[in-house]
Amino acid sequence: MKAAVLRGIGNLNVEDVPEPEPGPDEVKIKIGFCGLCGTDPENMEGRFGLIPPEAYLKPQIMGHEASGTIVALGKNIKGYKVGQRVACDFKGACGNCYYCRNKMEHFCQGAHRASGSFADYAVYPESAIYALPDNVSLEIGSFLEPVSVAVHAIDIAGIHPGSTVAISGAGPIGLLCLQLALRAGASRVMVSEPVAGKREVAKKLGADVTADPKENLEEIGLKLTEGRGFDTVIEASSDLKAAKLAISLAGKCGMVVWAAVYPVEAEIGVPPFTMYAKELTIRSVFVSPYSFPRALNLLPKLDIKSLITDIMPLKDIKKAFKLHETRKPIKILIQP
Ligand SMILES: [Zn+2]
Ligand SMILES: [Zn+2]
């Protein structure tokens, strides 16, 4: 089969590799679509803080936001059948470790990982797959993982009916957070984003105000909230300036949510007096514990089509990474 194999930092190529075969607790999936995630280029270029340098010594098939059709079942699999369409988490939690037993499955120490999905076929543990309902296409299904991250961010964000919300970044996570914030009851939402086309999509999806981060966001925010600042500020752009500005945009007793990945060596100054004087909370988001079943329920309800800007064949994976770099696409789906 064909697969996009990373052999050392920066060396990603489509190669012929053996098809993976499912272990007893795994299913083999013919990949329908796999989304290109913001962490994929970080990983390819050796900048993703979760991946240690020694990980690059072994070849790695990339791709972790997949949907597809089951083509083979491991011998212990009872709940699925060949031909069934599924969407995937990239790992299944063990259920037995300290973290799984203490409401932190996202830090599972015995997680069973899937093989990479920028490939014709991949194997997934049963604990990482979700049957797609008939009214959800494989394109939309490939958004299950990013939607689950937005669900987790909104779980943390403390949004109530009538809340005011600011979101920085109109990429997939920012725009999914926008849709979920509105469903959670947000009544006024500002989205900041440097790319004009993405601001337009944010407007279409219900943002009250959109702005370029070059503008005076504090001023615009104060105007939108009668001088109070926002109840919740969600940072989904990975921009360090935006992560810091979130603290100024938040109003009294506000909640700041850093829902992005940042460089491992990055630091920003947090003003303790402002934290005190506004009684602020800062939270972060790490993947998406206990969010997949709800993300699955939401897939047919959200506007996901508007987020799919490009569908590219696996053979063009390098072009896809280049295109992602321009920051113009919202979500690129790879179709093996
Ligand atoms: Zn991802
Ligand atoms: Zn575990």
Side-chain angles (χ1 to χ4, degrees):
M1 68 166 188
K2 299 283 186 202
V5 184
L6 182 66
R7 291 186 187 274
I9 291 169
N11 187 20
L12 179 72
N13 292 291
V14 176
E15 299 179 10
D16 281 305
V17 297
E19 284 181 26
E21 293 309 328
D25 299 308
E26 291 177 329
V27 299
K28 178 176 173 181
I29 293 172
K30 168 144 191 40
I31 300 299
F33 295 89
C34 183
L36 183 56
C37 171
T39 60
D40 287 323
E42 300 281 308
N43 177 8
M44 184 186 68
E45 287 155 22
R47 287 186 277 113
F48 189 22
L50 286 182
I51 301 186
E54 59 271 21
Y56 294 94
L57 299 174
K58 281 189 300 190
Q60 179 200 144
I61 297 176
M62 299 189 72
H64 64 265
E65 296 180 359
S67 64
T69 307
I70 297 178
V71 293
L73 302 168
K75 69 173 170 40
N76 296 340
I77 306 292
K78 301 274 187 294
Y80 292 90
K81 51 184 195 294
V82 167
Q84 203 167 0
R85 298 173 326 119
V86 294
C88 311
D89 191 350
F90 53 89
K91 60 175 171 28
C94 77
N96 296 322
C97 72
Y98 175 86
Y99 293 106
C100 281
R101 288 175 168 178
N102 285 282
K103 303 182 193 165
M104 294 178 272
E105 67 165 12
H106 45 333
F107 297 105
C108 174
Q109 289 175 309
H112 184 159
R113 290 189 78 91
S115 67
S117 290
F118 290 147
D120 289 323
Y121 297 94
V123 291
Y124 277 82
E126 183 178 19
S127 52
I129 59 171
Y130 297 83
L132 282 174
D134 290 341
N135 63 346
V136 175
S137 67
L138 288 176
E139 284 97 321
I140 303 296
S142 70
F143 270 72
L144 181 64
E145 196 269 346
V147 171
S148 77
V149 173
V151 166
H152 184 43
I154 297 300
D155 280 349
I156 286 170
I159 295 166
H160 304 289
S163 288
T164 57
V165 176
I167 297 171
S168 47
I173 298 299
L175 292 171
L176 290 169
C177 282
L178 165 63
Q179 295 185 56
L180 294 183
L182 291 168
R183 284 177 169 264
S187 59
R188 275 179 243 164
V189 185
M190 173 176 90
V191 174
S192 59
E193 162 62 48
V195 178
K198 292 184 185 174
R199 288 200 298 273
E200 263 163 51
V201 177
K203 198 99 214 207
K204 185 178 95 177
L205 295 177
D208 296 279
V209 171
T210 59
D212 188 315
K214 281 199 241 95
E215 296 176 67
N216 187 337
L217 297 182
E218 281 178 82
E219 209 176 277
I220 297 168
L222 289 173
K223 214 166 169 189
L224 192 64
T225 59
E226 284 100 27
R228 290 188 293 265
F230 292 94
D231 299 318
T232 293
V233 183
I234 300 173
E235 201 303 284
S237 73
S238 295
D239 183 274
L240 291 174
K241 271 193 227 126
K244 176 144 193 186
L245 186 70
I247 296 166
S248 333
L249 292 176
K252 295 195 166 49
C253 290
M255 170 68 84
V256 171
V257 183
W258 287 334
V261 180
Y262 305 95
V264 68
E265 74 286 354
E267 287 189 11
I268 58 169
V270 173
F273 179 80
T274 307
M275 295 299 298
Y276 153 76
K278 293 208 277 190
E279 204 176 281
L280 293 186
T281 304
I282 300 179
R283 294 280 309 265
S284 60
V285 173
F286 181 66
V287 297
S288 49
Y290 314 104
S291 306
F292 275 78
R294 287 176 294 142
L296 187 67
N297 291 343
L298 284 160
L299 282 182
K301 304 284 182 179
L302 302 175
D303 181 351
I304 288 173
K305 271 212 170 99
S306 298
L307 311 188
I308 303 172
T309 47
D310 305 87
I311 297 180
M312 299 174 75
L314 179 63
K315 70 175 175 51
D316 289 343
I317 190 90
K318 283 188 179 182
K319 273 190 211 156
F321 273 67
K322 280 249 148 60
L323 179 64
H324 182 273
E325 233 172 69
T326 66
R327 308 201 72 150
K328 278 189 193 125
I330 297 174
K331 178 62 85 182
I332 304 171
L333 297 184
I334 300 296
Q335 186 174 24

